[in-house]
Amino acid sequence: MKTILNEQQLAIIIRRLSHQVLENNINLDNTVFIGIQPRGIFVSDQMIQVIRQLVSAEKVQYGKLDITFYRDDIRNQIHMPNQTDIPFSIEKKNVVLIDDVLYTGRTIRAALDALLDFGRPAKVELCVLIDRRFSRELPIQPDYTGRSIDSIVSQKVKVFWKERDGKEEVVLL
């Protein structure tokens, strides 16, 4: 087990990602943030806390998206659905999708399919904590990246969160 990010590095990266997203979406009137269930919401919850400290909290529209039934491997494994909570329209909005690890791109493809059930966004940007660059199966790239890593297929990236695991770090198994 090799540590990629410790707790302090993780906090710094989340702040940086929050600032980068705000820099490109300074007027939040037409921008919404959506965390991908289940693991992306740990990143998105922390980013939204930072963003709400930087701008008026009521300007920040934040939702959570469950992609369970949009996954192309739904028949291969048992998946427990999570809750989708998007209490606003995404029609003609700039959507910032937030996830923890970008690996093959299949989770993001499922999220894009699921988003279309809520309307047609003007633009979708992708923000990820970890980008496993050379593992893509689909032509999907992040707009905002916390850390890019090179790993082999047999390795796994695990993100630990205090709320769930009692510690915060990213490791390579």
Side-chain angles (χ1 to χ4, degrees), residues 37-153:
Q37 293 271 26
R39 293 179 305 271
I41 62 164
F42 292 101
V43 180
S44 61
D45 283 348
Q46 289 191 26
M47 284 182 62
I48 294 304
Q49 280 182 352
V50 172
I51 291 169
R52 285 184 172 150
Q53 291 169 0
L54 299 170
V55 298
S56 178
E58 61 270 357
K59 290 182 82 175
V60 180
Q61 296 184 76
Y62 174 47
K64 298 175 182 180
L65 180 67
D66 177 38
I67 59 157
T68 301
F69 298 112
Y70 295 88
R71 297 181 60 90
D72 59 9
D73 64 353
I74 188 72
R75 289 171 193 81
N76 299 342
Q77 304 172 24
I78 295 175
H79 293 278
M80 292 302 298
N82 294 287
Q83 185 176 1
T84 291
D85 178 24
I86 301 177
F88 45 79
S89 172
I90 67 165
E91 192 72 30
K92 298 180 181 172
K93 299 277 180 117
N94 295 330
V95 175
V96 179
L97 269 180
I98 303 169
D99 203 8
D100 61 345
V101 179
L102 176 58
Y103 181 36
T104 62
R106 294 187 179 278
T107 297
I108 305 308
R109 188 224 31 97
L112 292 170
D113 286 349
L115 269 182
L116 291 178
D117 285 348
F118 293 91
R120 185 171 187 252
K123 179 180 182 181
V124 179
E125 294 180 321
L126 177 59
C127 176
V128 297
L129 180 63
I130 302 293
D131 178 12
R132 292 182 66 174
R133 304 187 280 200
F134 302 121
S135 307
R136 216 75 76 238
E137 295 174 4
L138 297 171
I140 292 173
Q141 300 299 321
D143 298 285
Y144 310 98
T145 303
R147 173 78 50 95
S148 294
I149 64 163
D150 302 330
S151 61
I152 58 176
V153 174

Side-chain angles (χ1 to χ4, degrees), residues 8-33:
Q8 182 182 13
Q9 291 170 314
L10 198 50
I12 291 168
I13 285 175
I14 286 172
R15 285 197 75 76
R16 176 175 53 81
L17 288 171
S18 302
H19 282 262
Q20 286 177 325
V21 168
L22 267 182
E23 180 182 345
N24 290 339
N25 297 280
I26 198 67
N27 183 2
L28 293 181
D29 294 338
N30 203 39
T31 300
V32 300
F33 301 92

